[in-house]
Amino acid sequence: MGEHAAIGGVDVLDVAETWRKGGRDVAIATVVETWGSAPRPVGSHLVVDGEGNFEGSVSGGCVEGAVVGEAIEVISDGKPRMLEFGVADETAWRVGLSCGGRIRVYVEKLA
């Protein structure tokens, strides 16, 4: 299995635990709410380390880049945050959530 063959076999929470045990700082982004035609269901996870490596998905590729950036900041300052992306937001088009719907993603540092 390649490093990015995760969605469909590898549990991203296991990846997070492995990375953490390996000494990496890790943040977990979780889809906590969706409206409309959101690309990934509630409970979907994206695991990010302090260098921007990631595994999993919160939007099927639509907003991962923005979430990874926020996760790196969460790792840095230790403060969790709630992110919201939706087709009505100008930022949604910029980061690519033109697929419709809205999602709310909670990002927290793994202790």
Side-chain angles (χ1 to χ4, degrees):
M1 273 224 196
E3 174 137 352
H4 293 286
I7 304 176
V10 174
D11 184 333
V12 295
L13 299 180
D14 288 344
V15 171
E17 189 176 332
T18 300
W19 285 1
R20 192 73 196 100
K21 285 180 179 172
R24 298 194 208 182
D25 286 325
V26 177
I28 298 177
T30 306
V31 177
V32 293
E33 211 169 344
T34 65
W35 301 266
S37 60
R40 300 280 295 149
V42 168
S44 298
H45 297 288
L46 178 71
V47 177
V48 183
D49 74 5
E51 295 177 4
N53 298 300
F54 66 92
E55 201 71 69
S57 176
V58 290
S59 70
C62 295
V63 300
E64 266 68 10
V67 174
V68 167
E70 292 283 346
I72 290 170
E73 287 187 33
V74 167
I75 289 168
S76 176
D77 66 22
K79 296 177 186 162
R81 29 192 86 135
M82 187 71 73
L83 311 175
E84 191 172 312
F85 300 96
V87 77
D89 300 327
E90 185 182 313
T91 55
W93 289 99
R94 194 167 63 239
V95 298
L97 197 65
S98 55
C99 41
R102 286 191 301 154
I103 61 171
R104 187 171 286 158
V105 179
Y106 182 70
V107 185
E108 61 189 323
K109 185 175 181 179
L110 193 61

